[in-house]
Amino acid sequence: MTRKGINAERQLVNLLWKHNFAAIRVPASGAGSKVFPKPDIIAGNGINYFAFEVKTSTLDKIYLEHNEIQDLISFSEKFGCTPFIAIRFLHNSREWRFFDISTLQKTLSGNYKIDFNADFTNGLDFDSLLGK
Amino acid sequence: MTRKGINAERQLVNLLWKHNFAAIRVPASGAGSKVFPKPDIIAGNGINYFAFEVKTSTLDKIYLEHNEIQDLISFSEKFGCTPFIAIRFLHNSREWRFFDISTLQKTLSGNYKIDFNADFTNGLDFDSLLGK
């Protein structure tokens, strides 16, 4: 994980706490960390529970591997929470968007892609994620 | 955190996954980790959500600081989960016991204590935690 990626995760955790969610960043590193699936961030407010896979890019496209999406889904089904891909394009917007997995474009190789120009505004903004 | 402490946390995470919970160990280390309260382990199965503070000892008594109990309570209230102190006395028993905070003995200094001889069997065993 790059420093920019870590900073983005921390910024999202801060934003969630500010909006009355308890949120935790789950570091990916450490021995045994590949044994069970885990999201980048988990959050709850007693009503809604979310698991986030966080991706940022300085370019126009963000790619997600089939396996990380499957891990996010299987974790979320078992835990009892709603999975989202949390995206920020660093060069172009400081705004988060949140994608339901069913809305993601599949690439020819079976992975997933979010294109800034084609897809970004299809994601939920932060207020919509919170049901506001 | 000692290696024994980390191993105990991993062992509890494994046990929870074996019993159909999604569970995550939340490392305490890392910059910014003191900003928001966080438990040692968080777990859910779509019905029950738990936050655990994990303590082990090779001696007969386990002490918990007032602040770590307060952090566990405030995290759990906000997230929407039930807080438990997960205890293992390494010398004497390989068995986990789970303590509701209201059942803990307070020390004269305002902290908390679990005594192997006086208190251990007052904790829930793993099956009872799971409502079995």
Coordinates of all heavy atoms in Angstrom, one line a residue, chain B residues 18-86:
Chain B
K18 N -14.3 -20.4 12.5 CA -14.7 -21.8 12.6 C -16.2 -21.9 13.0 O -16.9 -22.9 12.6 CB -13.9 -22.5 13.6 CG -13.0 -23.6 13.0 CD -12.3 -24.4 14.1 CE -10.8 -24.4 13.9 NZ -10.1 -24.9 15.0
H19 N -16.7 -20.9 13.7 CA -18.1 -20.9 14.2 C -18.9 -19.9 13.4 O -19.9 -19.3 13.9 CB -18.2 -20.7 15.7 CG -17.7 -21.9 16.4 ND1 -16.3 -22.1 16.6 CD2 -18.3 -22.9 17.0 CE1 -16.2 -23.3 17.3 NE2 -17.4 -23.8 17.6
N20 N -18.5 -19.7 12.1 CA -19.3 -18.9 11.2 C -19.5 -17.4 11.5 O -20.5 -16.8 11.1 CB -20.7 -19.5 11.0 CG -20.7 -20.5 9.9 OD1 -20.1 -20.2 8.8 ND2 -21.4 -21.6 10.0
F21 N -18.5 -16.9 12.2 CA -18.4 -15.4 12.4 C -17.3 -15.0 11.4 O -16.3 -15.7 11.2 CB -18.0 -15.0 13.8 CG -19.1 -14.9 14.7 CD1 -19.7 -16.0 15.3 CD2 -19.6 -13.7 15.1 CE1 -20.8 -15.9 16.1 CE2 -20.7 -13.5 16.0 CZ -21.3 -14.6 16.5
A22 N -17.5 -13.8 10.8 CA -16.4 -13.1 10.2 C -15.7 -12.3 11.3 O -16.4 -11.5 12.0 CB -16.9 -12.2 9.1
A23 N -14.4 -12.4 11.5 CA -13.7 -11.8 12.6 C -12.4 -11.2 12.1 O -11.8 -11.7 11.2 CB -13.4 -12.8 13.7
I24 N -12.1 -10.0 12.7 CA -10.9 -9.3 12.3 C -10.1 -8.9 13.5 O -10.7 -8.4 14.5 CB -11.3 -8.0 11.5 CG1 -11.8 -8.3 10.2 CG2 -10.0 -7.1 11.4 CD1 -12.3 -7.1 9.4
R25 N -8.8 -9.2 13.5 CA -7.9 -8.7 14.5 C -7.5 -7.2 14.1 O -7.1 -7.0 12.9 CB -6.7 -9.5 14.6 CG -5.8 -9.4 15.8 CD -4.8 -10.5 15.9 NE -3.6 -10.1 15.1 CZ -2.7 -9.2 15.5 NH1 -2.8 -8.6 16.7 NH2 -1.7 -8.9 14.7
V26 N -7.6 -6.3 15.0 CA -7.3 -4.9 14.7 C -6.0 -4.6 15.4 O -5.9 -4.4 16.6 CB -8.4 -4.0 15.3 CG1 -8.1 -2.6 14.9 CG2 -9.8 -4.4 14.8
P27 N -4.9 -4.5 14.7 CA -3.6 -4.2 15.3 C -3.6 -2.8 16.0 O -4.2 -1.9 15.4 CB -2.6 -4.2 14.1 CG -3.2 -5.1 13.1 CD -4.7 -4.8 13.2
A28 N -3.0 -2.8 17.2 CA -3.1 -1.5 17.9 C -2.0 -0.5 17.4 O -2.1 0.7 17.7 CB -2.8 -1.8 19.4
S29 N -1.0 -1.0 16.8 CA 0.2 -0.2 16.4 C -0.1 0.6 15.1 O -1.1 0.4 14.5 CB 1.4 -1.1 16.2 OG 1.1 -2.0 15.1
G30 N 0.8 1.5 14.9 CA 0.6 2.4 13.7 C 0.3 3.8 14.0 O -0.4 4.1 15.0
A31 N 0.8 4.7 13.2 CA 0.5 6.1 13.4 C -1.0 6.4 13.4 O -1.7 5.8 12.6 CB 1.2 6.9 12.4
G32 N -1.4 7.3 14.3 CA -2.8 7.7 14.3 C -3.7 6.7 15.0 O -4.9 6.9 15.0
S33 N -3.1 5.6 15.5 CA -4.0 4.6 16.1 C -4.6 5.0 17.4 O -5.4 4.3 17.9 CB -3.2 3.3 16.2 OG -2.2 3.4 17.1
K34 N -4.1 6.1 18.0 CA -4.7 6.5 19.3 C -5.8 7.5 19.1 O -6.4 7.9 20.1 CB -3.5 7.1 20.2 CG -2.5 6.1 20.6 CD -3.1 5.2 21.8 CE -2.1 4.1 22.1 NZ -2.7 3.0 23.0
V35 N -6.1 7.9 17.9 CA -7.0 9.0 17.7 C -8.5 8.5 18.1 O -9.2 9.2 18.7 CB -7.0 9.5 16.3 CG1 -8.0 10.6 16.0 CG2 -5.6 9.9 15.9
F36 N -8.8 7.3 17.6 CA -10.2 6.8 17.8 C -10.1 5.5 18.6 O -9.1 4.8 18.5 CB -10.9 6.5 16.5 CG -11.0 7.7 15.6 CD1 -10.3 7.8 14.4 CD2 -11.8 8.8 16.0 CE1 -10.4 8.9 13.6 CE2 -11.9 10.0 15.2 CZ -11.2 10.0 14.0
P37 N -11.1 5.2 19.5 CA -11.0 4.0 20.2 C -11.2 2.8 19.2 O -11.8 2.9 18.2 CB -12.2 4.1 21.1 CG -13.2 5.0 20.5 CD -12.3 6.0 19.7
K38 N -10.5 1.7 19.5 CA -10.7 0.5 18.7 C -10.5 -0.8 19.6 O -9.6 -0.8 20.5 CB -9.9 0.5 17.5 CG -8.4 0.6 17.6 CD -7.8 0.8 16.3 CE -6.3 0.8 16.4 NZ -5.6 1.0 15.1
P39 N -11.3 -1.8 19.3 CA -11.1 -3.0 20.1 C -10.0 -3.9 19.5 O -9.4 -3.5 18.5 CB -12.5 -3.7 19.9 CG -12.9 -3.2 18.5 CD -12.4 -1.8 18.4
D40 N -9.6 -5.0 20.2 CA -8.6 -5.9 19.6 C -9.2 -6.7 18.5 O -8.5 -7.0 17.5 CB -8.1 -6.8 20.7 CG -7.3 -6.1 21.8 OD1 -6.6 -5.1 21.4 OD2 -7.4 -6.4 23.0
I41 N -10.4 -7.1 18.6 CA -11.1 -8.0 17.6 C -12.5 -7.5 17.4 O -13.2 -7.1 18.4 CB -11.1 -9.5 18.1 CG1 -9.7 -10.0 18.1 CG2 -12.0 -10.3 17.2 CD1 -9.6 -11.4 18.7
I42 N -13.0 -7.5 16.2 CA -14.4 -7.2 15.9 C -14.9 -8.4 15.1 O -14.2 -9.0 14.3 CB -14.5 -5.9 15.2 CG1 -16.0 -5.5 15.1 CG2 -13.8 -5.8 13.9 CD1 -16.2 -4.0 14.9
A43 N -16.2 -8.8 15.4 CA -16.7 -10.0 14.8 C -18.2 -9.8 14.6 O -18.9 -9.2 15.4 CB -16.4 -11.2 15.6
G44 N -18.7 -10.5 13.5 CA -20.2 -10.4 13.3 C -20.6 -11.7 12.5 O -19.8 -12.3 11.8
N45 N -21.8 -12.0 12.6 CA -22.4 -13.1 11.9 C -23.8 -12.8 11.2 O -24.5 -13.7 10.9 CB -22.5 -14.4 12.7 CG -23.6 -14.3 13.8 OD1 -24.1 -13.3 14.0 ND2 -23.9 -15.5 14.4
G46 N -24.0 -11.5 11.1 CA -25.3 -11.0 10.5 C -26.4 -10.9 11.6 O -27.4 -10.3 11.3
I47 N -26.2 -11.5 12.7 CA -27.2 -11.5 13.8 C -26.5 -10.8 15.0 O -27.1 -9.8 15.5 CB -27.6 -12.9 14.2 CG1 -28.3 -13.6 12.9 CG2 -28.6 -12.8 15.4 CD1 -28.4 -15.1 13.1
N48 N -25.4 -11.3 15.4 CA -24.7 -10.7 16.6 C -23.4 -10.1 16.1 O -22.7 -10.6 15.2 CB -24.3 -11.8 17.6 CG -25.5 -12.4 18.3 OD1 -26.4 -11.6 18.8 ND2 -25.7 -13.7 18.2
Y49 N -23.1 -8.9 16.7 CA -21.9 -8.2 16.5 C -21.1 -8.0 17.8 O -21.8 -7.6 18.8 CB -22.2 -6.8 15.9 CG -22.9 -6.9 14.5 CD1 -24.3 -7.0 14.5 CD2 -22.2 -6.9 13.3 CE1 -25.0 -7.1 13.3 CE2 -22.9 -7.0 12.1 CZ -24.3 -7.1 12.1 OH -24.9 -7.2 10.9
F50 N -19.9 -8.4 17.8 CA -19.1 -8.3 19.1 C -17.8 -7.5 18.9 O -17.2 -7.5 17.8 CB -18.6 -9.7 19.5 CG -19.7 -10.7 19.8 CD1 -19.8 -11.9 19.3 CD2 -20.7 -10.3 20.8 CE1 -20.8 -12.9 19.6 CE2 -21.7 -11.2 21.1 CZ -21.8 -12.5 20.5
A51 N -17.4 -6.8 20.0 CA -16.1 -6.2 20.0 C -15.4 -6.8 21.3 O -16.0 -6.9 22.3 CB -16.2 -4.7 20.2
F52 N -14.2 -7.2 21.1 CA -13.5 -7.9 22.1 C -12.2 -7.1 22.5 O -11.4 -6.7 21.6 CB -13.0 -9.3 21.7 CG -14.1 -10.2 21.4 CD1 -14.4 -10.5 20.1 CD2 -14.9 -10.8 22.4 CE1 -15.5 -11.4 19.8 CE2 -15.9 -11.7 22.1 CZ -16.2 -12.0 20.8
E53 N -12.0 -6.9 23.8 CA -10.7 -6.6 24.3 C -10.1 -7.9 24.8 O -10.7 -8.6 25.6 CB -10.8 -5.6 25.4 CG -9.6 -4.9 25.9 CD -9.1 -3.9 24.9 OE1 -9.8 -3.4 24.0 OE2 -7.9 -3.5 25.0
V54 N -8.9 -8.3 24.3 CA -8.3 -9.6 24.6 C -7.2 -9.4 25.6 O -6.3 -8.6 25.5 CB -7.8 -10.2 23.3 CG1 -7.1 -11.6 23.6 CG2 -8.9 -10.4 22.3
K55 N -7.3 -10.3 26.7 CA -6.2 -10.2 27.7 C -5.8 -11.7 28.0 O -6.7 -12.5 28.2 CB -6.7 -9.6 29.0 CG -7.0 -8.1 28.8 CD -5.8 -7.3 28.9 CE -6.1 -5.8 28.5 NZ -4.8 -5.1 28.3
T56 N -4.5 -11.9 28.1 CA -4.0 -13.2 28.6 C -3.0 -12.9 29.7 O -2.4 -11.8 29.8 CB -3.3 -14.0 27.5 OG1 -2.2 -13.2 27.0 CG2 -4.2 -14.2 26.3
S57 N -2.8 -13.9 30.5 CA -1.8 -13.8 31.5 C -1.2 -15.2 31.9 O -1.9 -16.2 31.8 CB -2.3 -13.1 32.8 OG -1.3 -13.1 33.8
T58 N 0.0 -15.2 32.2 CA 0.6 -16.4 32.8 C 0.5 -16.5 34.3 O 0.9 -17.5 34.9 CB 2.1 -16.5 32.4 OG1 2.8 -15.3 32.8 CG2 2.3 -16.7 30.9
L59 N 0.0 -15.4 34.9 CA -0.2 -15.3 36.3 C -1.7 -15.6 36.6 O -2.5 -16.0 35.8 CB 0.3 -14.0 36.8 CG 1.7 -13.7 36.5 CD1 2.1 -12.3 36.9 CD2 2.7 -14.7 37.1
D60 N -2.1 -15.3 37.9 CA -3.5 -15.6 38.3 C -4.4 -14.4 38.2 O -5.6 -14.5 38.5 CB -3.4 -16.0 39.8 CG -3.2 -17.5 39.9 OD1 -3.3 -18.2 38.9 OD2 -3.0 -17.9 41.1
K61 N -3.9 -13.2 37.9 CA -4.7 -12.0 37.8 C -4.5 -11.3 36.6 O -3.4 -11.1 36.1 CB -4.4 -11.1 39.0 CG -4.9 -11.7 40.4 CD -4.6 -10.7 41.5 CE -4.9 -11.3 42.8 NZ -4.1 -12.5 43.2
I62 N -5.6 -10.8 36.0 CA -5.5 -9.9 34.8 C -6.1 -8.5 35.2 O -7.2 -8.5 35.8 CB -6.3 -10.5 33.7 CG1 -5.5 -11.7 33.1 CG2 -6.6 -9.5 32.6 CD1 -6.1 -12.5 32.0
Y63 N -5.4 -7.5 34.9 CA -5.8 -6.1 35.2 C -6.2 -5.4 33.9 O -5.5 -5.6 32.9 CB -4.7 -5.3 35.9 CG -4.4 -5.9 37.3 CD1 -3.4 -6.9 37.5 CD2 -5.2 -5.4 38.4 CE1 -3.2 -7.4 38.8 CE2 -5.0 -5.9 39.7 CZ -4.0 -6.9 39.9 OH -3.8 -7.4 41.1
L64 N -7.2 -4.6 34.0 CA -7.6 -3.8 32.8 C -7.7 -2.4 33.3 O -8.3 -2.1 34.4 CB -9.0 -4.3 32.4 CG -9.0 -5.7 31.9 CD1 -10.1 -6.5 32.6 CD2 -9.2 -5.7 30.4
E65 N -7.2 -1.5 32.5 CA -7.3 0.0 32.8 C -8.6 0.5 32.5 O -9.3 0.2 31.6 CB -6.2 0.7 32.0 CG -4.8 0.5 32.5 CD -3.8 1.2 31.8 OE1 -4.1 2.3 31.2 OE2 -2.6 0.8 31.7
H66 N -9.0 1.5 33.4 CA -10.3 2.2 33.3 C -10.4 2.7 31.8 O -11.5 2.6 31.2 CB -10.3 3.3 34.3 CG -11.5 4.2 34.2 ND1 -12.7 3.7 34.7 CD2 -11.8 5.4 33.7 CE1 -13.7 4.7 34.5 NE2 -13.1 5.7 33.9
N67 N -9.4 3.3 31.3 CA -9.5 3.9 30.0 C -9.7 2.9 28.8 O -10.5 3.2 27.9 CB -8.2 4.7 29.6 CG -8.1 6.0 30.4 OD1 -9.0 6.4 31.0 ND2 -6.9 6.6 30.3
E68 N -9.1 1.8 28.9 CA -9.3 0.8 27.8 C -10.8 0.2 27.9 O -11.4 0.0 26.9 CB -8.3 -0.3 27.8 CG -8.1 -1.2 28.9 CD -6.9 -2.2 28.8 OE1 -6.6 -2.6 27.7 OE2 -6.3 -2.5 29.9
I69 N -11.3 0.1 29.1 CA -12.7 -0.3 29.2 C -13.6 0.8 28.7 O -14.6 0.5 27.9 CB -13.0 -0.6 30.7 CG1 -12.2 -1.7 31.2 CG2 -14.5 -0.9 30.9 CD1 -12.4 -3.0 30.6
Q70 N -13.4 2.1 29.0 CA -14.2 3.2 28.5 C -14.1 3.2 27.0 O -15.2 3.4 26.3 CB -13.7 4.5 29.1 CG -14.1 4.7 30.5 CD -15.6 4.4 30.8 OE1 -16.5 4.9 30.2 NE2 -15.9 3.5 31.7
D71 N -12.9 3.0 26.4 CA -12.8 3.0 24.9 C -13.6 1.9 24.3 O -14.3 2.1 23.3 CB -11.3 2.9 24.6 CG -10.6 4.2 24.6 OD1 -11.2 5.2 24.9 OD2 -9.3 4.2 24.4
L72 N -13.6 0.7 24.9 CA -14.3 -0.4 24.4 C -15.8 -0.1 24.4 O -16.5 -0.5 23.5 CB -14.0 -1.7 25.2 CG -14.7 -3.0 24.8 CD1 -14.2 -3.4 23.4 CD2 -14.4 -4.1 25.8
I73 N -16.3 0.5 25.5 CA -17.7 0.8 25.7 C -18.1 1.8 24.6 O -19.1 1.7 23.9 CB -18.0 1.3 27.1 CG1 -17.9 0.2 28.1 CG2 -19.4 1.9 27.1 CD1 -17.9 0.6 29.5
S74 N -17.3 2.9 24.5 CA -17.7 4.0 23.6 C -17.7 3.5 22.1 O -18.5 3.9 21.3 CB -16.9 5.3 23.8 OG -15.6 5.1 23.4
F75 N -16.6 2.7 21.8 CA -16.6 2.1 20.4 C -17.9 1.3 20.2 O -18.5 1.5 19.1 CB -15.4 1.3 20.2 CG -15.4 0.6 18.9 CD1 -14.8 1.3 17.8 CD2 -15.9 -0.6 18.7 CE1 -14.9 0.7 16.5 CE2 -16.0 -1.2 17.4 CZ -15.5 -0.6 16.3
S76 N -18.2 0.4 21.1 CA -19.3 -0.5 20.9 C -20.6 0.1 20.8 O -21.5 -0.3 20.0 CB -19.3 -1.5 22.0 OG -18.0 -2.2 22.1
E77 N -20.8 1.2 21.6 CA -22.1 1.9 21.6 C -22.3 2.6 20.2 O -23.4 2.6 19.6 CB -22.2 3.0 22.6 CG -22.5 2.4 24.0 CD -22.4 3.4 25.1 OE1 -22.0 4.6 24.9 OE2 -22.8 3.1 26.3
K78 N -21.2 3.1 19.7 CA -21.3 3.8 18.4 C -21.4 2.8 17.2 O -22.2 3.0 16.4 CB -20.0 4.7 18.2 CG -20.1 5.6 17.0 CD -19.3 6.9 17.2 CE -20.1 7.9 17.9 NZ -19.6 9.3 17.8
F79 N -20.6 1.8 17.2 CA -20.6 0.8 16.1 C -21.9 0.1 16.1 O -22.4 -0.2 15.0 CB -19.4 -0.1 16.3 CG -19.2 -1.0 15.1 CD1 -18.4 -0.6 14.0 CD2 -19.8 -2.3 15.1 CE1 -18.2 -1.5 13.0 CE2 -19.6 -3.1 14.0 CZ -18.8 -2.7 12.9
G80 N -22.4 -0.3 17.3 CA -23.6 -1.1 17.4 C -23.1 -2.6 17.6 O -23.3 -3.4 16.7
C81 N -22.5 -2.9 18.7 CA -22.0 -4.2 19.0 C -21.9 -4.4 20.5 O -22.0 -3.4 21.2 CB -20.7 -4.5 18.3 SG -19.3 -3.5 18.8
T82 N -21.8 -5.6 20.9 CA -21.7 -6.0 22.3 C -20.3 -6.1 22.7 O -19.5 -6.9 22.1 CB -22.5 -7.3 22.6 OG1 -23.8 -7.2 22.0 CG2 -22.6 -7.5 24.1
P83 N -19.8 -5.3 23.7 CA -18.5 -5.4 24.2 C -18.2 -6.6 25.2 O -19.1 -6.8 26.0 CB -18.2 -4.1 24.9 CG -19.6 -3.7 25.4 CD -20.6 -4.3 24.5
F84 N -17.1 -7.3 25.0 CA -16.7 -8.3 25.9 C -15.2 -8.3 26.2 O -14.4 -7.9 25.3 CB -17.0 -9.7 25.4 CG -18.5 -10.2 25.5 CD1 -19.3 -10.2 24.5 CD2 -18.9 -10.6 26.8 CE1 -20.6 -10.6 24.6 CE2 -20.3 -11.0 26.9 CZ -21.1 -11.0 25.8
I85 N -14.8 -8.6 27.4 CA -13.4 -8.9 27.7 C -13.2 -10.3 27.5 O -13.8 -11.2 28.2 CB -13.1 -8.5 29.1 CG1 -13.7 -7.1 29.5 CG2 -11.6 -8.5 29.4 CD1 -13.2 -6.0 28.7
A86 N -12.3 -10.7 26.6 CA -12.0 -12.1 26.3 C -10.7 -12.4 27.0 O -9.7 -11.8 26.8 CB -11.8 -12.3 24.8

